[in-house]
Amino acid sequence: MNCEQVREQLDDYLGGYLDEADRQAVEHHAETCVSCRADMKDLKNLLAQARQLSPGVPPAQNLWPAILEQIEDSRAKNWSNANRSWLALAAVLALAVLLIPLLLRQQAPQPGEQVTVAVTDSMAIDAATQAKVDLARSEDRVLLVRRDLVEAIEIRRDLLGPEASQSVEESLLVLDKAVADIQQALEENPDDRRLRLLLAAKYQHEVRLLQRVSRV
Amino acid sequence: MRELVTSAGLLVDFSDFLGAVERQPMSEADLVRDAQRGDTAAFEELYRLHVSKIYGLCLRMSANPAKAEDLTQEAFIRAWQKLGSFRRQSSFRTWLHRLTVNLVLGDLRSTGRWESRLTAIDSLPERGDGGAGAKPETTFDLERAISQLPPQARMVFVLHDIEGYKHREIASLCNLAVGTSKAHLHRARKQLREVLKR
């Protein structure tokens, strides 16, 4: 390497970007060239001074009050926007909850009652099978609501702010638990009317939680 | 006095112990967790822990104290707004630092000061933007000399030589080619060394 080539490589040399062969070539040249050695020394001196600069510089004034004021403003706006969104979602859920008990009452057999539902002209299913279908539909509905909820959170995560996001995530966990309960109930006793009513009450409880989130 | 009867029946005054526990500062992870739950007091603690570093970064990158204050405020406000998306894959400090660098770069772009220098790399002024008559002190004032560098050279120097970023990272952050980042660093160092010799 000649002086010009070495000077072109000095930045990369000191930054550790050169491969072994080039690194050795620069060092070998610097050992024999006073001018390049001086350049290297200057550059090392500059970098040492840069490293010694204090990483922190305190601002001349306390910026926190202005930051807090803007945080509170943006939080108020976010809540307002979030409320509109969550109230709409809560309304959909509330409608679903109102429909579920109605559906369950329509389909639930009274003690001793034989219920059959005509599905086609040539086929009928009994009440137990229908109950399974109803619960499966309810489960599907909860999963759909959950999916919408997740999408809404992902879209609005930046706008919602940390507190709202946390509340929503906790509500999602509750919904997850409800879905798990439904699946377990389905497996254990699909014909138990009281159990199905209990599940409907559970849906209502989840909705109240979500409504509370939307009203905070 | 707060007392506790131990299993051995001894009466122990544990006021000092409780006081020590109460004075124990919360870890940064705890502060972040609480701030993510909407606790502005926890976020204020995070602000106090990091404001000097963030302001220092903004000041060196913008070379303008008033602008640096605005950018610092904006960085913390954005951090609050995006805190819900912070997933602890990096440290809070690194996350906040990245967010601030992006914010300052965005500000420079939006005000046109960045682009105006994109085509001017080969016409780097000998003494930078604020150089008219602004000879550094006899005892070399590196901070002042850095502030006199043109925006892109200053940005690359601050990120590489002070903040420890690599060219690949700078190129990605600043939307530059790696070679361009290296060229800016070379020019910045050259200019600073010349100032240092005066």
Side-chain angles (χ1 to χ4, degrees):
Chain A
M1 275 191 186
N2 58 33
C3 289
E4 190 180 346
Q5 289 170 322
V6 167
R7 281 173 187 148
E8 282 176 3
Q9 299 279 356
L10 268 185
D11 285 318
D12 280 350
Y13 169 77
L14 292 174
Y17 294 105
L18 292 185
D19 59 30
E20 184 62 18
D22 284 342
R23 192 180 64 80
Q24 284 185 2
V26 169
E27 285 175 353
H28 182 258
H29 178 90
E31 281 172 9
T32 57
C33 176
V34 176
S35 173
C36 287
R37 203 162 53 240
D39 271 357
M40 190 183 284
K41 188 181 171 187
D42 276 355
L43 199 47
K44 281 183 176 175
N45 184 34
L46 172 66
L47 297 186
Q49 289 192 55
R51 277 194 295 272
Q52 283 169 6
L53 290 176
S54 168
V57 180
Q61 58 175 321
N62 181 10
L63 305 177
W64 177 250
I67 292 169
L68 182 61
E69 189 181 336
Q70 289 200 50
I71 283 174
E72 296 296 351
D73 281 354
S74 69
R75 187 146 70 166
K77 284 177 191 167
N78 285 343
W79 282 126
S80 174
N81 290 336
N83 278 350
R84 280 197 288 274
S85 171
W86 290 111
L87 280 173
L89 187 58
V92 171
L93 281 166
L95 188 62
V97 167
L98 284 172
L99 289 174
I100 289 166
L102 283 173
L103 190 66
L104 293 173
R105 269 201 294 279
Q106 283 174 357
Q107 304 299 341
Q110 297 303 312
E113 182 186 0
Q114 291 294 317
V115 178
T116 56
V117 178
V119 175
T120 67
D121 288 342
S122 59
M123 184 177 79
I125 56 175
D126 62 18
T129 307
Q130 184 62 44
K132 287 181 184 176
V133 171
D134 289 341
L135 280 175
R137 283 176 181 162
S138 299
E139 185 183 5
D140 288 346
R141 197 172 291 122
V142 170
L143 288 172
L144 280 173
V145 169
R146 189 190 186 288
R147 188 200 61 191
D148 290 344
L149 211 51
V150 170
E151 286 177 358
I153 291 166
E154 289 308 318
I155 290 167
R156 304 183 58 79
R157 186 177 286 280
D158 286 348
L159 294 175
L160 276 175
E163 192 173 356
S165 294
Q166 178 74 21
S167 299
V168 170
E169 281 174 7
E170 285 170 359
S171 297
L172 274 176
L173 288 176
V174 174
L175 270 175
D176 284 343
K177 177 78 166 57
V179 170
D181 286 347
I182 290 168
Q183 287 168 336
Q184 191 177 351
L186 258 173
E187 285 173 10
E188 289 174 3
N189 196 351
D191 299 328
D192 189 331
R193 182 169 178 266
R194 283 175 303 178
L195 182 57
R196 281 180 278 140
L197 289 173
L198 195 64
L199 285 172
K202 201 170 187 62
Y203 285 133
Q204 287 175 321
H205 180 65
E206 314 311 348
V207 170
R208 278 199 298 276
L209 270 177
L210 283 170
Q211 284 172 327
R212 208 156 62 214
V213 170
S214 72
R215 279 198 297 265
V216 173
Chain B
M1 184 174 80
R2 285 177 281 194
E3 296 169 336
L4 178 71
V5 179
T6 67
S7 57
L10 297 172
L11 199 63
V12 176
D13 174 5
F14 64 113
S15 300
D16 288 346
F17 170 74
L18 279 183
V21 169
E22 284 160 6
R23 285 193 299 273
Q24 190 77 20
M26 290 176 75
S27 73
E28 185 166 282
D30 289 339
L31 290 172
V32 170
R33 183 203 58 211
D34 287 356
Q36 284 180 317
R37 292 174 180 170
D39 183 346
T40 50
F43 192 65
E44 184 179 358
E45 282 299 306
L46 290 170
Y47 161 82
R48 300 206 181 284
L49 283 172
H50 295 284
V51 64
S52 293
K53 186 83 170 69
I54 294 303
Y55 177 73
L57 177 65
C58 292
L59 181 61
R60 287 187 180 117
M61 289 175 83
S62 69
N64 179 331
K67 171 62 82 177
E69 286 190 357
D70 289 346
L71 289 167
T72 302
Q73 279 187 30
E74 186 61 27
F76 279 99
I77 290 162
R78 288 211 190 167
W80 170 265
Q81 290 168 341
K82 292 176 179 289
L83 208 49
S85 64
F86 174 59
R87 287 285 175 260
R88 299 164 204 257
Q89 288 157 341
S90 60
S91 72
F92 177 75
R93 177 182 165 173
T94 304
W95 180 78
L96 180 63
H97 197 279
R98 288 259 169 190
L99 181 150
T100 305
V101 168
N102 280 321
L103 178 71
V104 178
L105 288 170
D107 179 75
L108 280 173
R109 289 192 187 101
S110 69
T111 53
R113 285 177 289 158
W114 183 258
E115 283 75 5
S116 67
R117 291 287 165 186
L118 268 175
T119 53
I121 184 169
D122 290 327
S123 57
L124 199 74
E126 207 174 346
R127 298 192 59 206
D129 288 351
K135 187 174 180 176
E137 306 300 327
T138 330
T139 55
F140 179 63
D141 185 348
L142 183 56
E143 292 277 16
R144 190 171 169 189
I146 292 168
S147 75
Q148 292 171 12
L149 292 170
Q152 279 204 321
R154 182 175 64 241
M155 193 77 68
V156 173
F157 180 81
V158 168
L159 290 176
H160 191 279
D161 284 354
I162 300 178
E163 301 295 340
Y165 284 70
K166 293 292 182 190
H167 280 301
R168 190 168 34 82
E169 298 171 288
I170 296 169
S172 170
L173 276 168
C174 302
N175 200 22
L176 298 171
V178 168
T180 308
S181 177
K182 287 185 175 184
H184 281 301
L185 184 66
H186 181 73
R187 295 298 179 107
R189 286 173 169 178
K190 186 179 175 190
Q191 185 169 341
L192 290 173
R193 283 166 63 200
E194 285 170 0
V195 173
L196 183 60
K197 283 178 182 171
R198 287 175 191 167

